[in-house]
Structures are given as structure tokens and as C-alpha cells.
């Protein structure tokens, strides 16, 4: 009986804690609005919270990105639970961890503080925010530690983080911030930026040129990531008549598929693809930071060579860059063609392409594709895309990739 009573009381206890957290900190929870100067209308909304020390508002970078990139067109405003309004100014941003610090003259009776150590696995956590512009709410959930196989530290939170809650705090029972709401994967699966990333941003001095600062953040991040990739001992696997890279570092995961069991298909296809799927949000139309590798082995032994070549060409043409960017963000691709003639293995035709970032001139997107040439009824295609790398890293990765792909 005691066990039954304890189990039944847990939801009641969680609700009571959530109610107390909301009552204690409601005034320090804010709705963040991005307003267009000309019309005064809302362009974007999100959540934010007031920190006790220093007197700053925290939110996600993606909530306020329009005001960062186009300050002449947008302004920021907060709306408190008590209906008080006021302007906000951007102090600093961390685009890699999707954080922003905003200056305000608003004060609350009780502001948030950061927890100094991470919760234990399975601890109750409470996410606060303003979903779908419906008003501030508290969502109880569970702390599940850091997301596995991720280059960027993100807390796995079992709880419903909905649109509009971005930038709100996730707190422990004492109301201390353990992370910042950043993303949802649906079905009660959410992700938080750890408080440690916010603590690091708080030590940063205000910068005069935010775009220049963003470029430096992106450059430093890609250098850290690619140093790990280039220094790794790449694992290789057999792939039809070739050898190709597999899961070369823990944050790049690989999958595969084929149609070999389908007797009616006149071309047999085996596909393998590996990626680092986490993107860095720069604007609603521009993302960066992804890495993808794709491999395809095609065999059409019953086809005439010209028929097979046509199908082979169709597969080659389907390869493209996998991050979003518009004409205002990047230049057109500039490409070079080359015939690869290795000492061992098959010849291949390769195309290497770069496109430059208009506002971040040290960075580029890279697309590479090569196709084996020595057989009339089978071939192997290898392809990679890199988003947001400098030219030195792009060339070093390309050389290592080309050396790892061998056609027997």
C-alpha cells in the first residue's frame, strides 16, 4: 500500500514544484518580440529570462537573429508577465550554442541564477516558456544527460518544448537554471543548451561588430571540429568493389540501404551515407556546420553500357549541397574538374566546387563528387559536402577523403 501511495503522489509533487517555480519566477520570465521598424508588427517571438547577476536577459540567437543581421530594420522588445514592456539591446551572441545576451533596464522581484553543477541522471527538470504565443507555462520533464554522438553539448530533456519556448530556462527544483530551451524533436523529446555554455558567454565582453564576431566563432568552431576529424584514424569498410570511410569520428554517424533483394530492378544500388547533422542557425534561410559523405555502388549487368551510363549519370546529377543558403548568403559555386589516376585501383572523374559566404569571407561551402570510369556496367560514386569551412581545412579534408576511397 505504501508503494502505491508513493507512486501516486509523484505527479502531485511534480505539479506542486512546478507551481512554486512559476510563482517564484514568473516576473523574470519574458516574451521576446522582434518588431519591424516600419510596420511595428511582430516578425518573430520567443522566450527569455532575466538573470540576477548580471542584469541581462538570456534567449536563443535564432529568436533575435533578424535584429542581429538587420539592426536598421528590426528592434527588440520584451513583454513581462505583469504586462510591462520595454526595449532590449543585443550585448553578445554565441551562434554555435544558439545563445544571445540582451541588455535591459527591467528588474524583477526574483531573478534566475545558474546551477553550478549538472543534475543527476533522471532528475526532474522544469522547462518554462511561451508556446505559440499562448502565455507562459511550465513543462515538467526529465534530465537525461548530454546527447550522445554530438559535437555540440546538448542536454537531452524528456519534455514537450514547443514553438515559442525557445530561449526560455529549464530549471531544477530550486529554480536554478540548468539549461536553455533550444530545440524539439517532437514526441516529448527536447534539447537544452547546458548552463556551462551560458556561463562562458557571460564572461565575454560586448563587441562592436557582431558579424565579425560571428565569423570568428564559426572559424574557431570549424577548426576545432576538423582538427578532430583530420587527426582521427579513419575506419574504412568494404563497399562493393571499393573501400570507403565509415564512422570516422564519434559525432559522424553512418547508415546504409540497398535494393539487392528486389529482382525486378535492372540496376542494383547499394547506398551508404554518413553525416554530422547538427546545423548552426545563421538566419531563417541560411544554415551552416553540416558534414555529409555519400557513397553509391551501381551495377547493371543486364543493361547495354549506354543504358547503364544514362542511369549512372542520373545518380551523379542528384548529388548536391545539403545546407540551406540563398543568393544573398553565398556566391555561385566555382568548380574544377580532374581525372584521378591512382597507382592502384580504377580511374575516376572528380569535380571539386567551392562557394563563398558573402558576409563571412573566410568561410566556404564545399561540394565534391567523383565517379569511377573503368567498368561499363558498374560504378562507384563518392560525394561529400562541407558547410562553413576555410579553404585550408577544405583542402586537407579533400586530400584525406580522396586517399580513403579506393576502387579495386
Amino acid at each position: 500500500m505504501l508503494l502505491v501511495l508513493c507512486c501516486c503522489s509523484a505527479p502531485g509533487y511534480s505539479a506542486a514544484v512546478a507551481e512554486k517555480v512559476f510563482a517564484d519566477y514568473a516576473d523574470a520570465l519574458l516574451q521576446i518580440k522582434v518588431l519591424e521598424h516600419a510596420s511595428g508588427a511582430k516578425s518573430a517571438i520567443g522566450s527569455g529570462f532575466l538573470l540576477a547577476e548580471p542584469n541581462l536577459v538570456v534567449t536563443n540567437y535564432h529568436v533575435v537573429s533578424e535584429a542581429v543581421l538587420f539592426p536598421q530594420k528590426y528592434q527588440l522588445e520584451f513583454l513581462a508577465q505583469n504586462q510591462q514592456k520595454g526595449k532590449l539591446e543585443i550585448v553578445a551572441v554565441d551562434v554555435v550554442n544558439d545563445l544571445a545576451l540582451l541588455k535591459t533596464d527591467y528588474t524583477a522581484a526574483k531573478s534566475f541564477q545558474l546551477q553550478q553543477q549538472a543534475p543527476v541522471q533522471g532528475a526532474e527538470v522544469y522547462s518554462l516558456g511561451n508556446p505559440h504565443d499562448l502565455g507562459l507555462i511550465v513543462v515538467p520533464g526529465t534530465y537525461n544527460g548530454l546527447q550522445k554522438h554530438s559535437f555540440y553539448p546538448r542536454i537531452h530533456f524528456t519534455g514537450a518544448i514547443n514553438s515559442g519556448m525557445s530561449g526560455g530556462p529549464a530549471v531544477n527544483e530550486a529554480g536554478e537554471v540548468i539549461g536553455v530551451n533550444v530545440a524539439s524533436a517532437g514526441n516529448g523529446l527536447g534539447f537544452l543548451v547546458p548552463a556551462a555554455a551560458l556561463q562562458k558567454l557571460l564572461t565575454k565582453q560586448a563587441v562592436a561588430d557582431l558579424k565579425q564576431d560571428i565569423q570568428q566563432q564559426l572559424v574557431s568552431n570549424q577548426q576545432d571540429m576538423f582538427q578532430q576529424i583530420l587527426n582521427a584514424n579513419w575506419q574504412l569498410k568494404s563497399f562493393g568493389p571499393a573501400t570507403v570511410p565509415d564512422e570516422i569520428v564519434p559525432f559522424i554517424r553512418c547508415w546504409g540501404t540497398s535494393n539487392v533483394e528486389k529482382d525486378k530492378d535492372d540496376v542494383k544500388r547499394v547506398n551508404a551515407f554518413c553525416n554530422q547533422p547538427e546545423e548552426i542557425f545563421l538566419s531563417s534561410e541560411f544554415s551552416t556546420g553540416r558534414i555529409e559523405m555519400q557513397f553509391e555502388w551501381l551495377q547493371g549487368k543486364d543493361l547495354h553500357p549506354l543504358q547503364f551510363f544514362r542511369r549512372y549519370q542520373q545518380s551523379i546529377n542528384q548529388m548536391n549541397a545539403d545546407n540551406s543558403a540563398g543568393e544573398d548568403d553565398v556566391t555561385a559555386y566555382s568548380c574544377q574538374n580532374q581525372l584521378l589516376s591512382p597507382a592502384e585501383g580504377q580511374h575516376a572523374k572528380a569535380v571539386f566546387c567551392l562557394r563563398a559566404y558573402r558576409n563571412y569571407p573566410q568561410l566556404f561551402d564545399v561540394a565534391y563528387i567523383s565517379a569511377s570510369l573503368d567498368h561499363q556496367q558498374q560504378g562507384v560514386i563518392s560525394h561529400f559536402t562541407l558547410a562553413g569551412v576555410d579553404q585550408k581545412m577544405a583542402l586537407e579534408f579533400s586530400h584525406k577523403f580522396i586517399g580513403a576511397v579506393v576502387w579495386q
Side-chain angles (χ1 to χ4, degrees):
M1 178 63 73
L2 178 60
L3 177 62
V4 173
L5 289 175
C6 289
C7 292
C8 291
S9 65
Y13 172 77
S14 179
V17 173
E19 184 177 348
K20 184 178 186 305
V21 167
F22 187 83
D24 287 347
Y25 293 97
D27 287 345
L29 291 168
L30 305 174
Q31 183 184 63
I32 310 298
K33 300 180 181 181
V34 182
L35 305 176
E36 188 192 30
H37 282 300
S39 65
K42 290 182 291 187
S43 175
I45 60 170
S47 301
F49 58 97
L50 188 68
L51 280 179
E53 291 291 339
N55 196 42
L56 292 172
V57 173
V58 179
T59 189
N60 288 143
Y61 166 78
H62 77 255
V63 172
V64 299
S65 60
E66 290 177 314
V68 174
L69 300 173
F70 308 104
Q72 72 283 0
K73 185 176 181 181
Y74 298 99
Q75 65 183 15
L76 299 177
E77 182 181 277
F78 72 83
L79 174 64
Q81 182 76 356
N82 59 13
Q83 299 305 303
Q84 184 175 338
K85 298 180 180 180
K87 292 184 178 180
L88 297 166
E89 296 180 15
I90 299 167
V91 174
V93 300
D94 177 352
V95 294
V96 174
N97 288 298
D98 202 353
L99 294 173
L101 298 178
L102 312 174
K103 182 179 178 181
T104 181
D105 56 5
Y106 174 75
T107 59
K110 192 172 184 179
S111 300
F112 289 94
Q113 294 184 338
L114 302 184
Q115 186 180 28
Q116 297 305 308
Q117 59 185 18
V120 297
Q121 187 86 5
E124 194 80 2
V125 174
Y126 303 87
S127 173
L128 299 91
N130 191 328
H132 302 289
D133 202 15
L134 297 175
L136 294 168
I137 66 167
V138 183
V139 177
T142 305
Y143 174 85
N144 294 292
L146 294 179
Q147 182 183 0
K148 294 181 179 180
H149 310 304
S150 173
F151 182 75
Y152 305 106
R154 294 290 184 267
I155 294 171
H156 175 192
F157 169 73
T158 304
I161 298 176
N162 294 301
S163 177
M165 295 181 70
S166 294
V171 303
N172 59 17
E173 293 183 359
E176 298 170 323
V177 176
I178 65 104
V180 181
N181 303 333
V182 70
S184 173
N187 298 318
L189 179 61
F191 298 99
L192 316 171
V193 179
L198 176 54
Q199 185 69 65
K200 184 176 180 180
L201 181 59
L202 288 168
T203 65
K204 188 173 182 176
Q205 300 293 323
V207 295
D209 189 336
L210 285 173
K211 288 185 180 179
Q212 179 63 34
D213 187 51
I214 289 171
Q215 174 171 260
Q216 188 53 52
Q217 292 175 31
L218 295 173
V219 169
S220 296
N221 179 71
Q222 63 95 24
Q223 288 177 343
D224 290 343
M225 178 182 288
F226 279 88
Q227 283 298 336
Q228 291 188 40
I229 293 172
L230 295 172
N231 292 336
N233 182 19
W234 284 20
Q235 294 202 11
L236 307 178
K237 66 179 179 181
S238 297
F239 187 74
T243 300
V244 301
D246 196 22
E247 295 183 343
I248 55 179
V249 287
F251 53 84
I252 290 182
R253 310 300 292 169
C254 297
W255 296 265
T257 185
S258 74
N259 69 345
V260 295
E261 75 286 354
K262 298 179 180 179
D263 295 334
K264 295 183 179 180
D265 290 347
D266 52 8
V267 174
K268 301 301 183 185
R269 300 175 185 270
V270 179
N271 297 90
F273 43 95
C274 307
N275 67 352
Q276 189 293 109
E278 297 166 301
E279 295 183 328
I280 298 174
F281 179 99
L282 295 177
S283 74
S284 58
E285 297 179 351
F286 189 19
S287 62
T288 190
R290 288 174 62 97
I291 299 171
E292 184 170 272
M293 301 185 296
Q294 294 178 287
F295 310 97
E296 186 170 20
W297 170 35
L298 296 90
Q299 185 179 52
K301 62 182 179 179
D302 296 327
L303 291 178
H304 186 277
L306 289 179
Q307 291 178 302
F308 175 77
F309 177 78
R310 186 162 53 248
R311 302 287 288 275
Y312 196 39
Q313 187 68 43
Q314 290 173 351
S315 290
I316 293 171
N317 292 340
Q318 290 174 358
M319 306 291 181
N320 52 39
D322 65 335
N323 65 308
S324 59
E327 293 181 357
D328 293 336
D329 304 313
V330 295
T331 64
Y333 273 112
S334 175
C335 299
Q336 293 183 337
N337 299 316
Q338 185 177 1
L339 180 65
L340 302 179
S341 302
E344 298 180 3
Q346 299 182 33
H347 295 84
K349 178 69 175 293
V351 182
F352 180 85
C353 302
L354 285 175
R355 65 181 183 185
Y357 285 17
R358 296 188 186 277
N359 292 320
Y360 311 108
Q362 294 184 42
L363 296 171
F364 300 83
D365 286 342
V366 181
Y368 169 89
I369 187 168
S370 65
S372 61
L373 300 175
D374 292 346
H375 291 282
Q376 294 185 331
Q377 292 172 306
Q378 74 167 335
V380 175
I381 302 167
S382 64
H383 166 68
F384 71 77
T385 59
L386 313 176
V389 296
D390 64 28
Q391 291 193 54
K392 178 176 180 292
M393 290 296 178
L395 292 174
E396 290 183 10
F397 180 92
S398 301
H399 290 152
K400 189 157 186 174
F401 180 90
I402 292 169
V405 178
V406 179
W407 295 278
Q408 302 302 326

